[in-house]
Amino acid sequence: MFVILRDENAPLRNRAPRPAAPPGAPGFGTGSFDAPMANPIPPAPKLESAELSAKDLRDVTRDPAVTAVAREMPTRLIEPQPLDEVRTEDAEPAWGIAAVGADTSAFTGAGVRVAVLDTGIDTNHPAFAGVALNTRDFAGSGIEDANGHGTHCAGTVFGRDVDGSRIGVARGVTDALIGKVLGDDGSGSSDMLFRAIKWASDEQAQVISMSLGFDFPGLVESLVDQGWPTLLAGSAALEAYRQNLRMFDALMDMLRAQAAFSGGTVVCAAAGNESRRNIDPTFEVSASLPAAAFGVVSVGALGQGPGGLNIASFSNTNPTVSGPGVNVISAATGGGLRPLNGTSMACPHVAGIAALWWEAQRASGSPAFAGAVQARLMATCTSAPIDPATDALDRGQGLVQAPAMAIG
């Protein structure tokens, strides 16, 4: 199965007349020139799925409206890492909230719409009381979260206090989109994810949080099970990974182009948990899809250490920014709280801070669009609380910080 991304307005832009050159403009004469159109036409992404033969694939790629084509790949949640016997009562409550400055910020994320694309949500959890949850099930197993991963992540982004304990970064968010893109076993597909991102964008989400990855080994195994030779299966899976990277980049390009019309979306993704620095300091894996796509804010995980905050042993390298990702307490399916480790836990901290920056940007009177919010998010990162021995490639720009007060 292949996923096809079209821009339905591409033919309109290709046919639209360009403005005439100003009279006497040097080098242009009286002809037309490639200047922005007076009435620009926004991209109109459309996703399709189809079985394609080699000939079909060649024909589709010749269509001027087709922006990208990719073989459907399996996806999976970024599994939380072992807690090493850390119990809820031993973990420091809300240490991440304080580390990113959300506890002292003048902003709460009020008026900002966020989307969490994960394993669904426990809609009855008290952490989400008072939040309008606009849900869509792309996995086909119902929006309720039997896994617990999505509930925990959503709690960190916008959860209300539970039994007197703060868990949410952006507690003023009252409007959230919940897309279930992973089944109860934590598996999904790239088609589900792409459709969910488009849905969130269409629904005017200002922030998207996703803590999942593309399952390259899973695709190889699936093809081998279908009778493909191992070498051929590996080659096909590698090409599918490249295609999906291009697909993601193309979709992100469209989201950025739409920002001029809708304000756009800040997309945050967990960098992944495949590194094993506890085994060997050089055992580092780079951030993978979707975190590796151009324009995505990829997030590494920090934990508390004697020399300050340090990169978690499991956190993949080359993230854009970092967030608290060790011993993070948030909502548990069925009620109550539980601690988890992972870049999955760091990502929603960053998504919550992005929501605060959206609110701050609006309050400042400055243009509020995704590019400006993302620039603020990046520019205000700090390395001050991070152990100086931490490699800059492991922490990215540093630890995200909430806007403390109104900005000019």
Side-chain angles (χ1 to χ4, degrees):
M1 185 70 71
F2 285 82
V3 184
I4 304 165
L5 175 63
R6 296 179 184 273
D7 179 359
E8 295 194 296
N9 281 347
L12 297 177
R13 280 195 297 276
N14 293 338
R15 292 197 301 267
R18 294 289 182 177
F28 292 110
T30 59
S32 63
F33 68 101
D34 192 18
M37 294 186 300
N39 297 301
I41 302 172
K46 179 181 179 182
L47 287 162
E48 302 172 356
S49 298
E51 294 284 358
L52 299 177
S53 66
K55 180 182 181 303
D56 294 335
L57 185 58
R58 287 193 296 271
D59 290 343
V60 166
T61 55
R62 293 191 186 103
D63 186 337
V66 171
T67 304
V69 183
R71 183 187 295 275
E72 185 177 17
M73 280 192 72
T75 56
R76 55 178 172 76
L77 65 80
I78 295 178
E79 292 281 357
Q81 294 302 291
L83 286 166
D84 297 327
E85 305 304 321
V86 172
R87 299 173 299 171
T88 303
E89 57 268 30
D90 295 331
E92 182 180 340
W95 76 267
I97 303 291
V100 297
D103 59 332
T104 57
S105 177
F107 301 97
T108 66
V112 181
R113 174 172 276 194
V114 301
V116 179
L117 309 182
D118 211 288
T119 61
I121 193 168
D122 179 354
T123 57
N124 295 315
H125 199 291
F128 311 121
V131 182
L133 301 175
N134 183 354
T135 65
R136 173 129 351 149
D137 175 22
F138 295 90
S141 55
I143 198 63
E144 292 298 331
D145 182 16
N147 182 285
H149 191 266
T151 296
H152 195 280
C153 290
T156 300
V157 180
F158 56 82
R160 277 46 179 161
D161 296 0
V162 177
D163 296 330
S165 296
R166 180 169 180 177
I167 61 171
V169 172
R171 295 182 296 179
V173 169
T174 57
D175 187 7
L177 302 170
I178 304 297
K180 187 168 185 177
V181 297
L182 298 168
D184 296 335
D185 63 353
S187 66
S189 72
S190 56
D191 180 53
M192 296 176 194
L193 178 60
F194 291 134
R195 292 182 186 278
I197 292 171
K198 182 182 181 302
W199 166 72
S201 175
D202 290 346
E203 293 291 327
Q204 307 296 304
Q206 279 97 38
V207 182
I208 293 176
S209 177
M210 47 189 178
S211 297
L212 49 82
F214 281 59
D215 189 3
F216 178 86
L219 179 55
V220 175
E221 182 179 351
S222 173
L223 293 174
V224 169
D225 288 345
Q226 295 173 39
W228 291 48
T230 301
L231 184 60
L232 184 58
S235 177
L238 179 58
E239 179 58 22
Y241 190 87
R242 290 174 180 149
Q243 290 171 346
N244 277 272
L245 175 57
R246 296 187 191 107
M247 173 77 76
F248 219 107
D249 286 343
L251 187 56
M252 289 296 297
D253 281 342
M254 287 193 185
L255 296 187
R256 282 190 293 274
Q258 287 179 321
F261 305 89
S262 65
T265 309
V266 177
V267 181
C268 305
N273 298 343
E274 289 79 24
S275 295
R276 293 293 180 267
R277 296 180 187 83
N278 56 332
I279 296 175
D280 185 325
T282 65
F283 192 152
E284 296 181 332
V285 177
S286 189
S288 57
L289 272 178
F294 182 72
V296 173
V297 179
S298 57
V299 185
L302 295 170
Q304 297 168 294
L309 300 182
N310 49 35
I311 197 71
S313 62
F314 53 77
S315 183
N316 287 355
T317 193
N318 292 314
T320 311
V321 299
S322 295
V326 177
N327 295 344
V328 174
I329 296 177
S330 189
T333 296
L337 304 172
R338 65 167 175 164
L340 288 176
N341 291 345
T343 56
S344 287
M345 288 60 254
C347 179
H349 278 90
V350 174
I353 293 297
L356 303 190
W357 276 110
W358 266 106
E359 183 190 2
Q361 189 73 11
R362 288 172 175 167
S364 72
S366 301
F369 62 97
V373 171
Q374 191 160 322
R376 294 280 191 182
L377 183 73
M378 302 277 292
T380 53
C381 287
T382 179
S383 59
I386 301 176
D387 188 331
T390 302
D391 191 328
L393 291 178
D394 289 339
R395 61 170 171 77
Q397 290 289 106
L399 176 65
V400 294
Q401 293 292 287
M405 59 190 71
I407 56 177

